[in-house]
Amino acid sequence: MTLMRGYITRLIDVTLIILIGFLSVADLDDRAVLPLPAGLAAVLDTLGRDEAERRLEIMATETGSFLLELSSTTGLNLPLGRVSGSDTLRAVLARLKAEHQLAGADIRSWPRVPLQTAVDAVDACDLCEIPRDVRFLPDTGAPAVAAEAQP
Amino acid sequence: MLRLIDIVLILLFGFISISHFDSSIAVQLPEAGHMPRLQAEFQNLAVVSLDEAGAFVCGPERHQVASAAELRDWLAGEQAAGATQVRLRADRGRPSSEVALLQELCGELDLGLSLEIIRRAEEIRP
């Protein structure tokens, strides 16, 4: 009886250890497809895929949206427009990375942009494994209207 | 019963061993899910916190600076004491310009600057 109890106790210990092990390495990833804004999707579709190396400029704005502009060594300078929210930004970056040669991203954060918004842009680049450069723009007193006014 | 006490003690030691004790002020750090892990480097490091109200609080002694000039002086003092890196613990809601200010000061003094981020669990991949 004592032997049986010993075995049961040992079994509970092992089960607990295995359970904790599984929980600690569990991948709770739930994949989803995020829709792209229609206008931006159309612009991406028109891009040639044989362009030279491209860089993406991501401007984080005060409203939590991101302005995107693509530039290439061949002189292409194409505003892609605005995406709102970090989830959409990730979807756009993933598509750009998958379909076009993206050498890197330059993240610019306007003076009044909350830190979290800029970090979201950095995080999106890291998720898509796009090399990024981050710059927090100093407050020079100039209004950020120029950035906000773009389509 | 003895087994239960064993498990509780093991869990307690586990929690204690992974607990992080620091004397810095509590700020809501920005969150990110995919950044590389923070290097556990505490040598030659000066820590500056930027709280929710926008005050720069410097070092473990929680010295609050009132101006950019005072912040620069504090950084210069830390550099003289051997600091080569500055780590910013900034509230996630503070504007980017305040990071830019510290970036500029660190640039002037030739100090490296890094921003502390809270790593959140892996997220939904697009």
Side-chain angles (χ1 to χ4, degrees):
Chain A
M1 189 65 188
T2 312
L3 190 67
M4 194 64 182
R5 189 181 289 171
Y7 279 137
I8 290 169
T9 312
R10 184 68 58 196
L11 188 67
I12 291 170
D13 282 356
V14 171
T15 309
L16 276 175
I17 289 166
I18 291 171
L19 184 67
I20 290 168
F22 273 122
L23 282 178
S24 64
V25 297
D27 185 10
L28 303 173
D29 187 13
D30 186 12
R31 285 164 196 273
V33 178
L34 294 164
L36 292 179
L40 181 58
V43 172
L44 290 177
D45 284 339
T46 61
L47 284 174
R49 296 185 186 185
D50 53 350
E51 280 278 347
E53 192 176 83
R54 294 197 177 96
R55 282 194 78 80
L56 181 70
E57 183 163 328
I58 305 171
M59 279 183 278
T61 70
E62 291 165 38
T63 55
S65 62
F66 304 92
L67 293 169
L68 305 180
E69 190 172 306
L70 205 58
S71 59
S72 81
T73 48
T74 56
L76 173 84
N77 206 5
L78 182 68
L80 296 178
R82 182 194 299 268
V83 294
S84 46
S86 50
D87 289 341
T88 317
L89 178 66
R90 286 175 206 173
V92 170
L93 291 185
R95 181 163 174 191
L96 280 170
K97 176 85 190 297
E99 296 183 3
H100 305 281
Q101 296 167 9
L102 206 54
D106 301 304
I107 300 165
R108 303 288 174 260
S109 186
W110 287 89
R112 281 180 235 155
V113 172
L115 200 48
Q116 182 63 60
T117 307
V119 170
D120 284 343
V122 175
D123 200 32
C125 289
D126 287 350
L127 171 66
C128 301
E129 295 174 352
I130 298 170
R132 51 17 184 215
D133 168 64
V134 195
R135 199 162 296 170
F136 295 97
L137 302 176
D139 197 352
T140 54
V145 177
E148 297 289 347
Q150 287 188 28
Chain B
M1 190 62 187
L2 280 173
R3 182 64 56 184
L4 186 68
I5 293 169
D6 280 355
I7 290 171
V8 170
L9 278 175
I10 288 166
L11 285 176
L12 185 67
F13 284 129
F15 279 122
I16 289 172
S17 65
I18 61 168
S19 295
H20 179 62
F21 301 100
D22 70 18
S23 56
S24 47
I25 64 163
V27 290
Q28 282 226 306
L29 296 172
E31 287 184 343
H34 309 94
M35 283 191 193
R37 284 191 187 280
L38 189 73
Q39 297 296 314
E41 185 187 302
F42 297 103
Q43 286 183 333
N44 307 327
L45 184 71
V47 179
V48 176
S49 299
L50 176 60
D51 69 14
E52 199 180 356
F56 281 104
V57 182
C58 304
E61 64 278 9
R62 301 184 182 193
H63 172 63
Q64 192 165 332
V65 295
S67 64
E70 203 180 326
L71 179 58
R72 192 188 186 285
D73 290 345
W74 185 84
L75 290 171
E78 288 296 304
Q79 190 180 32
T84 55
Q85 286 283 323
V86 176
R87 181 162 297 156
L88 176 61
R89 302 180 73 254
D91 188 276
R92 66 181 71 152
R94 296 310 304 168
S96 298
S97 57
E98 289 168 351
V99 181
L101 169 70
L102 190 62
Q103 212 168 14
E104 197 180 312
L105 294 175
C106 288
E108 278 177 30
L109 295 167
D110 201 21
L111 286 165
L113 175 66
S114 57
L115 185 67
E116 196 166 319
I117 309 280
I118 289 284
R119 281 172 58 90
R120 62 178 167 234
E122 191 82 2
E123 291 185 337
I124 296 167
R125 286 177 181 270

